[in-house]
């Protein structure tokens, strides 16, 4: 990797000051994507601002209808949290399926959301659970946050501080995992709230994570697998690569969505 | 250069490093602790697994400066003198290795599994938990046996914690 200057702020204010003063900066969260990218010289920041010592960015808080997870909270911490398991067990299962145990001990939720990898898991949870992405400047609704592959609503130098999920009455995440990379070939998060059902798909969209309105409307009327009879997603708009072509991915979205609805409908109401 | 201070296998270490130095490079090249291996260098294979503050991580995907103030344990830090750690002994007893390249990472991951999941481990749990460690010789069969036996041996013996 190319050389860089290393900076280690201890609070969000310091981090924001550093990013305002310095040129060509990147924030380092858990580094499980950024460091490999830097090794391949696909990223070469002049200044790396490590958020690892910013204690205020860590932790999990639960209230009656929201679950808030600090941006620097590790995947392993989410997977092992009793609060998460009680409030949104589907999120526990999602965190348990990210990467491998070693990656989960370094990778963070904020890093995953800010990166918006088209095959990452958390973006699907954010969309389906109608999450609020809270930054040091504002609060962004998940629907406005994800703006295409590796693109988000974040401004230059803006720092995600936490992600607040609305606690659903029922939810499930089902992932068709690529066996080598462990990323989602298709991942579907289904969540039911009092005001309706959301279905979010990761791993498959040519433009990144997306919702399936037709499925959502049908499931909002009848939260059962049968409600999806006759509903499919078109291959147009799906990504194609050596692992799976667009037609296969579109088919798989239908299969995995049905499994997710089945799992969500049988979860505790 | 950035100063990094950490504890490695019970010993305090301070050094000036280029910030782009990976922890694995620091361990192998600065400290000459070459038991931890670099296999893929892309966080796939697990040959570089060490414990950072008692949690298993891949040392190829963390900067040395990120480990500042932390406690690191490598494969060199788990035996007590000439007495192997029970997990190491189990790998030897059950022939859980052939070429041995992946073994340091396997052993460090296996100890982490026991720390997290307890000492009665079924085969499926061991296989699932070892998904971040690749072995190209053994077919995993004897590794799984070794981990199960090592886990039980860890229950029977007080753990060598001197280096932790």
């Amino acid at each position: 990797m190319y050389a860089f200057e290393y900076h280690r702020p201890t609070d969000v204010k310091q981090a924001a000051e550093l990013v305002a003063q310095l040129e060509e900066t990147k924030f380092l969260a858990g580094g499980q994507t950024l460091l490999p990218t830097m090794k391949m010289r696909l990223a070469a920041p002049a200044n790396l601002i490590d958020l690892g010592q910013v204690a205020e960015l860590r932790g999990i808080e639960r209230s009656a209808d929201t679950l808030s997870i600090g941006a620097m909270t590790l995947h392993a911490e989410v997977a092992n949290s009793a609060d998460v398991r009680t409030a949104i067990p589907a999120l526990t299962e999602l965190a348990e399926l990210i990467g491998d145990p070693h990656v989960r001990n370094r990778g963070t939720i904020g890093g995953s959301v800010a990166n918006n990898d088209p095959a990452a898991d958390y973006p699907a949870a954010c969309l389906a659970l109608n999450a609020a992405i809270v930054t040091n400047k504002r609060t962004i609704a998940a629907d406005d946050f994800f703006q295409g592959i590796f693109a988000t609503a974040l401004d230059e130098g803006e720092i995600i501080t936490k992600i607040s999920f609305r606690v659903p009455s029922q939810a499930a995440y089902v992932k068709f995992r690529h066996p080598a990379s462990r990323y989602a070939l298709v991942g579907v998060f289904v969540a039911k709230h009092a005001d309706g059902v959301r279905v979010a798909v990761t791993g498959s969209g040519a433009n990144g994570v997306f919702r399936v309105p037709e499925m959502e409307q049908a499931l909002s009327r009848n939260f059962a697998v049968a409600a999806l009879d006759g509903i499919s997603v078109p291959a147009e708009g799906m990504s194609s690569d050596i692992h799976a072509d667009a037609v296969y991915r579109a088919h798989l979205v239908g299969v995995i969505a049905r499994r997710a609805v089945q799992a969500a409908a049988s979860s505790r109401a | 250069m950035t100063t990094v201070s950490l504890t490695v296998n019970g010993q305090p270490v301070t050094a000036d490093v280029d910030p782009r130095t990976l922890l694995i490079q620091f361990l192998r090249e600065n400290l000459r602790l070459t038991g931890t291996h670099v296999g893929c260098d892309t966080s796939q294979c697990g040959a570089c697994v060490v414990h950072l503050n008692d949690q298993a991580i891949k040392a190829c995907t963390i900067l040395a400066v990120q480990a500042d103030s932390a406690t690191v344990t490598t494969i060199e830090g788990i035996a007590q003198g000439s007495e192997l750690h029970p997990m190491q002994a189990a790998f030897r007893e059950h022939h859980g290795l052939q070429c041995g390249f992946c073994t340091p990472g396997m052993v460090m991951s296996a100890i982490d599994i026991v720390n997290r999941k307890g000492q009665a481990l079924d085969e499926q749990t061991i296989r699932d938990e070892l998904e971040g460690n690749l072995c190209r010789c053994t077919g995993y069969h004897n590794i799984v046996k070794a981990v199960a036996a090592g886990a039980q041996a860890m229950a029977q013996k007080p753990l060598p914690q001197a280096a932790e």
Side-chain angles (χ1 to χ4, degrees), chain A residues 33 111-121 123 148-151 183 202-203 208-209:
Chain A
T33 299
S112 171
V113 170
N115 191 44
N116 192 19
D117 188 300
D121 300 292
I149 290 177
F150 298 112
Y183 275 104
T202 189
V209 66

Side-chain angles (χ1 to χ4, degrees), chain B residues 21 60-61 91 137 152 159:
Chain B
T21 308
C60 76
T61 310
F91 269 70
C137 301
Q152 288 187 356
L159 296 183

